[in-house]
Amino acid sequence: MKSLTPKSTAATILAFLPAAQASLPYAKPTVRYTAYFRLDKTSQNIVEDKLGYSEATWNNFGIARVEKKRWSSLTSNERDGATLLGFTEGTWNCYINHYEDFSWEELEDMGMTQHYEGLGWTQAHWENPTDGEIPYTEARWWGQLTDNEKRAANGICFFEDNWDKKDMNPNPSFFPHPLPNFRYRPWDELNSVTQNVATNMMGYTEESWNNLGTSLAEKNTFLNLGTEQRAGAMELGFYTHTWDCFMNHYLSYYWSSFHEDLKVAIETLGWTESMWSDDAEVYPASESKPWSDLTPEEKAAATRLCYFEEIWNGQPIVDWYDYETGMNTAVTADGPLPKDIDLEIFETTGYAGKAPGDVGASVYTATGLGSSSSSYRIVSSSVFALALSIGATLLV
């Protein structure tokens, strides 16, 4: 029976897209690179009801369960939803799944292995994702890839936005990603459902919840969390960007993964590649400074890593939470940029999605906050999220 669901405006847009660019196998499905709040109501319903996205998983690439599936593995309801959005088997497998649900032999038959090989993949990498090794390109941002690697990535429908996993969530704060206020509530202020998720899925205790940075889970990147831990983090409201920045502060990233504004931040705090290694015995002076002793430039660097004073100083949440108002007293999601944070250090590189030349206190005022999306390269891909053990760090 033919579906009576009205055709979305997204599908209409796709129908009139120009022919694919020479470097990409198909025309970009524009609907998938449109923020959730910009979709029409019909498309939002399809995205949620038929494909199982939430607003957070739609606004971030590669973390929704449905994106792990090739076209032929979709349920009839999912395939109907994808079709209504304008997808075909070809565009879904390429732009959404990137052929990750195919075996190496199938990729060979399709002539796709050349693209993955151009990014450093081998059959051994593909078939044994838990052996501890991943291609070096998985720790590179788009701007760090060579021209040949970019062409290889284009062949499996990657381009800058989806390779760097652009964050499409609105962000009114001066932090690089939306502030996860839900994480800054003391344990005894959480409802029983949230406590159960935090305890049973993520391994938190009351002590580790109230003392940020002490939980084993927070030593890992989002994609290196165990399957249940990652599901728990998403249940709490986290996604790749907010977890890696506010919980891990990029501490588990390869040195080579630091690029543009992230590299400026790390180096402004005094880190060098040798200091960043596992066996380093020397650390930058900033590590022993309280927030008040940091320079305006160092505070800007720490802000890019999603620190604020109370977290930097290691204060328990209960010390900066107002039980009467039910709000933390440290930072607000839409507060203006403090005068002692100098974001001008990112003038050349840009800052978490803001273009070079469009950075500084004037962008972040109480009445005119920036809402640009943010993006960066994740250390390990969605296919091989478990390539490294939960306790492993990625410092090289």
Side-chain angles (χ1 to χ4, degrees):
M1 180 178 178
K2 186 176 180 180
S3 171
L4 298 180
T5 306
K7 189 174 183 180
S8 69
T9 56
T12 304
I13 292 172
L14 282 175
F16 292 93
L17 282 173
Q21 299 178 29
S23 57
L24 293 165
Y26 305 93
K28 289 180 186 178
T30 306
V31 61
R32 184 60 191 92
Y33 309 111
T34 302
Y36 180 89
F37 78 94
R38 295 188 183 279
L39 296 176
D40 61 79
K41 188 61 177 178
T42 298
S43 296
Q44 288 180 350
N45 289 338
I46 293 170
V47 160
E48 291 187 1
D49 298 339
K50 288 184 172 292
L51 291 168
Y53 285 98
S54 64
E55 182 172 358
T57 57
W58 177 265
N59 283 337
N60 290 272
F61 306 122
I63 61 175
R65 291 181 180 179
V66 73
E67 296 189 357
K68 313 299 182 188
K69 298 180 181 181
R70 63 204 280 178
W71 182 266
S72 60
S73 296
L74 298 176
T75 65
S76 59
N77 194 49
E78 290 168 340
R79 201 155 45 242
D80 182 43
T83 301
L84 287 167
L85 289 178
F87 285 100
T88 64
E89 181 172 7
T91 56
W92 181 273
N93 286 340
C94 196
Y95 281 100
I96 304 303
N97 184 250
H98 304 288
Y99 306 102
E100 293 174 359
D101 194 24
F102 290 74
S103 69
W104 190 261
E105 288 76 14
E106 288 175 314
L107 294 179
E108 285 181 325
D109 292 341
M110 298 163 63
M112 290 296 168
T113 52
Q114 61 175 317
H115 303 303
Y116 272 107
E117 287 170 345
L119 292 168
W121 290 92
T122 65
Q123 185 171 0
H125 286 130
W126 195 262
E127 294 178 347
N128 300 288
T130 59
D131 66 0
E133 291 189 18
I134 55 175
Y136 72 93
T137 54
E138 289 297 293
R140 296 289 189 270
W141 300 31
W142 186 261
Q144 294 176 296
L145 298 179
T146 67
D147 288 343
N148 285 338
E149 289 165 348
K150 288 178 181 177
R151 281 191 287 272
N154 284 159
I156 47 178
C157 292
F158 279 112
F159 54 97
E160 184 171 7
D161 282 358
N162 62 2
W163 180 271
D164 283 349
K165 296 190 183 295
K166 179 179 179 181
D167 186 352
M168 296 191 293
N169 281 300
N171 180 19
S173 77
F174 57 84
F175 289 99
H177 302 286
L179 191 73
N181 269 320
F182 57 85
R183 181 60 183 86
Y184 305 132
R185 297 176 64 86
W187 183 263
D188 57 9
E189 285 286 282
L190 303 178
N191 61 43
S192 59
V193 173
T194 301
Q195 286 186 352
N196 286 336
V197 170
T199 299
N200 299 326
M201 299 182 72
M202 303 202 67
Y204 279 105
T205 63
E206 181 174 358
E207 183 178 2
S208 62
W209 179 270
N210 286 340
N211 291 273
L212 287 140
T214 61
S215 167
L216 178 61
E218 293 172 11
K219 310 297 183 184
N220 286 281
T221 64
F222 183 81
L223 293 179
N224 251 9
L225 292 173
T227 302
E228 188 171 31
Q229 284 184 314
R230 193 162 57 250
M234 292 176 66
E235 184 71 21
L236 293 176
F238 285 106
Y239 54 94
T240 312
H241 304 286
T242 51
W243 179 271
D244 284 3
C245 197
F246 288 97
M247 294 296 100
N248 184 252
H249 306 289
Y250 308 104
L251 294 175
S252 295
Y253 271 43
Y254 289 110
W255 179 263
S256 59
S257 294
F258 295 129
H259 182 55
E260 296 183 340
D261 57 340
L262 267 180
K263 188 170 185 181
V264 168
I266 288 292
E267 292 183 340
T268 298
L269 288 170
W271 288 97
T272 64
E273 184 172 4
S274 60
M275 289 179 180
W276 197 255
S277 64
D278 281 331
D279 55 357
E281 297 180 357
V282 179
Y283 300 95
S286 64
E287 285 295 288
S288 61
K289 291 182 181 180
W291 183 268
S292 60
D293 287 349
L294 295 177
T295 67
E297 293 79 15
E298 288 172 333
K299 288 177 181 177
T303 299
R304 176 60 187 90
L305 306 180
C306 291
Y307 286 105
F308 47 89
E309 182 173 5
E310 288 75 7
I311 293 180
W312 181 270
N313 290 341
Q315 294 177 241
I317 296 175
V318 293
D319 289 355
W320 40 279
Y321 184 80
D322 187 332
Y323 281 86
E324 290 187 6
T325 64
M327 298 176 62
N328 81 74
T329 60
V331 291
T332 59
D334 57 357
L337 179 70
K339 293 180 180 179
D340 61 348
I341 295 178
D342 183 14
L343 291 183
E344 300 293 342
I345 66 170
F346 303 111
E347 182 71 16
T348 301
T349 61
Y351 175 76
K354 289 193 174 296
D358 187 27
V359 178
S362 61
V363 179
Y364 301 94
T365 64
T367 56
L369 298 169
S371 60
S372 295
S373 300
S374 308
S375 62
Y376 59 83
R377 183 65 185 151
I378 308 304
V379 169
S380 58
S381 74
S382 57
V383 191
F384 297 100
L386 303 180
L388 302 174
S389 66
I390 292 175
T393 56
L394 305 179
L395 311 181
V396 298

